[in-house]
Every structure is written in structure tokens, then in C-alpha cells.
Amino acid sequence: MEQIKNDQTGTVTVTEVDSSSSSMSTAMNEKTLTRDDINDLVTQLERSTKRAELIQSTEKGSTSAKNPVYVEWHGINYSISTENKKSWLNKFGDSDSKLETGKNVRNIIENIHGCANPGEVLAIMGPSGCGKTTLLNLLGDRVGSKGVQGTLALNGHKPTKNSKRFIAYCTQDDIFFPQLTVKETLSYTARLRLPREMSRHDKLNQVENTMALLNLTKCADTIIGDQRTRGVSGGERKRANIASELLTDPSVILLDEPTSGLDSSLALELTKILKEFAVKQKKTIIMVIHQPSSQVFESFDKLMLMADGHMVYFGERADVVNYLADQGFKCHPNFNPADYILELLNDNTIKQKLISAYAHKVRDDPTGKQIVEKYSLRSRTDNQLGNNVLNAPVTSERRWEATFLQQVSVLTERTFKQSRKVILSRVNLYQTIALAIICIVIWLQIPFAESNISDRVGSIFFCGVFWSFHPMIGAVSSFPLDLVMLSKERQSRSYRLLSYYLSKQIAELPLVILSPLIFTIPVYWASNLLPDFGRFIAYLVVILLGTVTSQSFGYFFGATLLNVQKSMIVSMVFMLASMLLGGFYIKHLPTGLNWIKYLSFIKYSYSLLMQIQFDSPKAQFRCAGPGELPAGQTSMCDIGDSPMSSISGISILNSEGLNDLPWYVNLIVLLGFCIVARILAYYSLRKNSRRNKE
Ligand SMILES: Nc1ncnc2c1ncn2[C@@H]1O[C@H](COP(=O)(O)OP(=O)(O)O)[C@@H](O)[C@H]1O
Ligand SMILES: [Mg+2]
């Protein structure tokens, strides 16, 4: 190490190359440079130059350089109440239950202070579970106001709803749509979140540059993937997550353990990129980091140490070793200070000692306000420059960057791409084809004869119900699965909920009606339903309307319960009840309960399908000859006074009890179900997403 320090020249580039190449440092120690070392050095140099160029290129449309944001916080406390609830079953027969039911308040973080300046990197370190993520959530305004005390200020002002747009939060979990490629993911983010004044071409250029910067060009066209579908590697996912935040040109970047899952050279490269961004574009960077290497550690400007939700240290990173030495914990010069710090904080006795030492240090300044003032450069820069910008509230006039129509069109395209691979999967296609073949074999050319009426009615009911059943199951999981992504993107004010909801409807509509189309067209003609093109179209439209209505109910259950399993159970019960009341299985309901059938949407679609097929002069059924009907069943032709040669479709409709409402009423009610369920689904989603925020 010493050797390297002595050898360091004044130029920035060479210093950077030195610190980034471990093979180089070994070479320096030995004082001999092999050809490989020289090649290595050249590569590092090229990478460094390239990085600088790329950062420069992203600077073109950057507004953060013009909007530096100082983040300051002091006296921050956060507590949660864990309710000690007993279930009603446990309470039963337990006379002391009242005493045991109560609220426990748990302090997650206590009296935390700190600040981060534009152009600097602040690292937050501490053992796991000490409250680092919680603090980051508080700084990123990702926690409701419940249980939170203290002051958080952006440029000296309270954050507003719209100031969130200046803050990017890179969460520890990488949340993505698994079926989209890296480039698609980033392009959609760019189109949603970059300023609307930027041309689409410039936005896509920004995507290319950010991908190059984070070494993602190689996997640009690979899908992100999930547990079931193999996609990019863990490290690439992590970098894609960071890229999607860097892309949006924020003034403040919060990162939760950005280097976990990356190997040491990638971790170093990433911290360098962040540092360079901070310096060149005046970004404020706050990152939680777990176990940085010594080189990564040295790139930090400020450091904050936490343990058990308390402060252990806040100040210059360079001063921490001396501070710890003053407390009696001297770090050996050959040791990585980051490792040493974690070692100290993982020892209970030392940890307590350090917490008390820090509390003692700030005893005259209990909320840490003065310390924050000491380290914040805001007031000083302000005085020097007399710059009002630095004291202006961080807010934007616009709530969303993309216009409503842009949001809907980008989201529709994205949902279409993501859902296409799920809804139109090969399995689904094979299922539809197999089912169509089975139905064609079973119901091939049903004759227009009395003895086959029940087959005809059965085929109509089955097709109607199946296509009202199938889409509900898919639609039920739609919102619960999108929820995490939705809440992440809504937190960063990417789009309105209504845009998301509308785009979902538009994108999934053509996908969901494709399977019933593929099925119904051949099955209709093969099973010899009324050979009339107009009737065929009407039949198809009703089948598709049934499909879309059942999808609406699926959306509604999913949006209300937001849990795949629960909504699946509820939708199954709903579907089976609707099917039973559809008019095929039960024709005589108990007295007083006849109205209940009008609650079933299947009743309307089934009645409509039957009316299309039977309420026509062409629907004539040849009377059954002797022995054609099952034993004991009399032919309908023999019931009346005059002998008949055929039965009219309308008399069958009447005997089935399906003609109680005219066709247009059936159609209007079915449409009504479809629309009302969709509106209710939207309100449920809105209510739930608001509750999620609290
Ligand atoms: N909403 C919550 N409900 C219950 N416990 C929580 C909640 N948020 C945080 N905690 C607890 O607070 C502590 C700190 O969590 P966290 O900030 O995630 O730690 P870390 O430092 O590892 O990021 C943990 O013990 C965690 O279980
Ligand atoms: Mg964490």
C-alpha cells in the first residue's frame, strides 16, 4: 500500500488506474512490469476514459447538475406497534384475554441524524438488522407518517409529494417484470420518467449510455427472468436495477446494498461510477453498504455507523479510524477499516460502549442539529455564492413527466409484452387446441332432431361456461402479482394509477379473447349449430363478452383481496355458484328464491346464446321416431292436440325457461356486469394502493 502511495502521481487518471487494479498494485510492489501488466493497465485506462465519456454523455440532458439537493435529518425516531392480538377462537373461554391483548411499541431507530451533500457519497454501515434499510426508507419518504418523529429537510425544506421525483431509490430487492429484456425494461422506464421535452431518440440514447456505463450492453437483449424462467445473472439484475434509477437523472440517489451479489471488481467499478456521477453531476449519494473492500471504503466521503437503531458515528469517512482509536479501538494499519468496524459492532459489549460514547459526545446537542449544521455544506455554499437555488424547496410543477396518453401508450406496450408470454403461452395454446378437438369429436354434426336437443343445449352451455371460467383464473392473479412493481413505480411517481389500470385493460383484451376465438370458430361449424353467418357472429360476440365479463370479475377479486390464493378461492366459489344458477342445472329454485338466479352473469350469457340458437325460424327439430327417445320419455310432438312433424326452437326456449327476458335485456345486463366489475376493481385497487402507502 505504501509503495502505491509513493508511486502515485498527481494526475487523476493514473491514480484511478492504480487504485482500481489489484494486479497493478502487486506489480508495483515487485517493481517489475510484465507485458500482461501493461496490457492490464491499458485496459483499465481505456475503461476509465470510456466511463468518463459515458458519464459526460448522460450529462447532456441532466437537470440534477442544476438542481443540487442537500439532504439533512436530525432527531429521527421510528417506532412500530406490534399488536398482541388473540384470535376469537383463543379468546373463547379465556377470562384473562383482555389483559393479554395489547400494543407493544418497538423502537426501530432512535435519535438518528446526518446529512448528505451534493457531490459527495455518504455510506451507512452497521450490522444487519440495525435499521439501515428503515432509515433509507425514511429518507426516501417510503414510510407513512405513523410512528415517525424528527426532521427531514431537502435544501432546508420539508419534502413535498412532488419532491420525490428528484429522489431515486434503488431497493435491495430487484423488482422487475421477468418477461422483459434489460433494454426493454430500461427503455420503458426512460419513456415514463425522463422529461417530456426530451425526444424519444435522446431518451433511448440515454438508455444505451447507461447500459454501457454499467456493463449491461452484453445482456441487453436477455430477459430479466425469475425463478421459473432463466434470465440474466444476479449481478446483472442488480446492475439493471441501478441503471433504471440512474437513468432518470435524479438529484439524490439512495441505494440499499448496491454491491451485494457483485464480485469485488464490479463492486469497485460501480462505486467509482457512483462517485464520478456525484462529483460531475452534483448528485447526492447515500448508500447502505454491507462489507465494502478497502478500496470501495476509501471512495466514501462521509460515513454513518449504526448499531441497534442508534448512532455510533457520523462524520468524515477519513476520521473514523481516529475516532475509534480515541475510544480505545485502534485499527491495525494493514486491516481493512470496514471489516474492523463491523467486527467491533458485532461484539455486544463494544457495541454498547460505542453507542454510549457517541451519545455522550452529542449530549449537548440531543437531536444532532448542530452536528448536521457542521457537516452540511448548504449554508456555507449558500453564503459564499449567495445562491437562492440551494434554499429553494425541492419540488416540481409537474406531477408526472409523461403525459396521460404517453403513460397509457407506454404501459399498454409494456403490459402487452409482459402478458403476451404468460397468457399466450404454448401450454395455453395446446390446451385450447386439445379442447377444441375433444369438443369437435364429441359434438360432431349434431342433427337437428328432437332426440339430440339435449346434446345441442349441453354443447352451448359448456362452451359458454368454459370461456367464462378460464379467463377469471388468469385475471385474479394479475393485480396481486403486479402490486410490488406498481407500488415501487408509483412511489417514484412514474405514472397515474388510472393510466396503469387502463393500459392493463387495453393490453390484455386482445390476448384474452384470442383463445376463445381459436376454439369457437371451428367448434361452432363442426358441431352443426345454426348454419347462419349472422347468428354465428352473434354467438361469437356473446362468448367473447362472457370471457371479458369473467375477466372483469377476476380483476375485481384480485384488486380487492390482493392475494392470489384468497382471490382464487373466492372466484372459484363465485364461478361455481354463477354456473349452478346459470339456468342449465337448476330450473326450479325453491319458492322465494327465484330471484337469486338473476345475480348470475352466466344466466344472461347462457340465455343469450340459447336465444341466438333457438329463437329463429330456421331452428326446427325433427320429431323423434319410435324408440329414438330414452324409455319412458314422451316426445314433445305427442303432447299437443294436433300432430307435428317438427318442434320449433322457441318452444324449446320456453320449456327451458330461458325466454323470461328479451335478448337485448340479457345483453345490456351482461354488459353492465362487465363494466361495473371493472369500475369496482379500479376503486378497490385505488383504495388498496392508498392503504399500502400509509
Ligand atoms: N414494518 C416492520 N415491521 C416489523 N419489524 C420491522 C419493520 N421494519 C423494520 N423492522 C425491524 O427493524 C429492524 C431493522 O430492519 P432493517 O432496517 O431492515 O435492517 P437492516 O439494517 O438490516 O437494513 C429489523 O429487526 C426488522 O425486523
Ligand atoms: Mg437492509
Side-chain angles (χ1 to χ4, degrees), residues 128-134 172 256-257 288:
S128 68
C130 71
K132 304 181 295 292
T133 303
T134 308
Q172 196 173 358
D256 197 357
E257 305 205 11
V288 165

Side-chain angles (χ1 to χ4, degrees), residues 19 119 149 186 255 257 365 397 424 432 471 500 517:
S19 59
Q149 288 172 334
L186 296 179
L255 303 111
E257 305 205 11
D365 177 24
E397 289 149 25
L424 297 188
T432 309
Y500 160 80
L517 263 181

Side-chain angles (χ1 to χ4, degrees), residues 32-43:
T32 48
L33 282 180
T34 63
R35 183 175 285 276
D36 280 354
D37 292 327
I38 294 168
N39 285 345
D40 222 28
L41 181 63
V42 171
T43 322

Side-chain angles (χ1 to χ4, degrees), residues 413-605:
E413 202 181 313
R414 188 174 76 173
T415 314
F416 188 81
K417 275 203 180 135
Q418 162 69 19
S419 303
R420 183 183 54 187
K421 292 180 187 153
V422 181
I423 301 181
L424 297 188
S425 64
R426 240 180 232 177
V427 184
N428 269 352
L429 192 68
Y430 292 156
Q431 184 197 20
T432 309
I433 293 172
L435 196 72
I437 293 172
I438 294 170
C439 290
I440 288 173
V441 171
I442 294 177
W443 285 306
L444 189 65
Q445 294 300 319
I446 309 171
F448 278 88
E450 188 189 358
S451 50
N452 294 91
I453 288 173
S454 57
D455 299 334
R456 187 171 292 269
V457 174
S459 107
I460 293 170
F461 183 73
F462 174 81
C463 298
V465 163
F466 182 77
W467 292 113
S468 302
F469 205 89
H470 199 296
M472 193 184 285
I473 296 167
V476 149
S477 55
S478 207
F479 293 127
L481 293 183
D482 274 8
L483 191 68
V484 186
M485 187 68 171
L486 182 67
S487 109
K488 174 188 155 187
E489 292 185 323
R490 297 255 310 136
Q491 294 274 20
S492 54
R493 305 204 76 76
S494 301
Y495 47 76
R496 299 167 61 148
L497 187 67
L498 187 61
S499 323
Y500 160 80
Y501 189 73
L502 284 181
S503 71
K504 192 94 183 153
Q505 318 278 308
I506 302 168
E508 293 193 348
L509 186 70
L511 299 174
V512 83
I513 62 175
L514 197 72
S515 294
L517 263 181
I518 296 175
F519 172 90
T520 310
I521 296 172
V523 172
Y524 185 93
W525 296 104
S527 53
N528 198 23
L529 295 186
L530 218 54
D532 176 312
F533 191 71
R535 297 268 164 173
F536 161 69
I537 295 293
Y539 185 89
L540 193 61
V541 168
V542 175
I543 292 266
L544 298 184
L545 186 58
T547 301
V548 176
T549 309
S550 91
Q551 189 194 27
S552 321
F553 282 113
Y555 282 152
F556 173 64
F557 294 132
T560 310
L561 298 167
L562 289 181
N563 173 308
V564 179
Q565 209 179 2
K566 277 189 204 159
S567 27
M568 201 71 100
I569 293 169
V570 173
S571 64
M572 280 291 173
V573 174
F574 172 80
M575 196 61 219
L576 290 173
S578 303
M579 193 170 86
L580 284 179
L581 296 170
F584 181 78
Y585 293 113
I586 303 170
K587 301 214 166 49
H588 308 287
L589 282 156
T591 12
L593 280 182
N594 203 33
W595 56 271
I596 209 168
K597 66 180 181 196
Y598 294 105
L599 298 180
S600 157
F601 79 99
I602 301 246
K603 183 210 162 349
Y604 301 95
S605 62

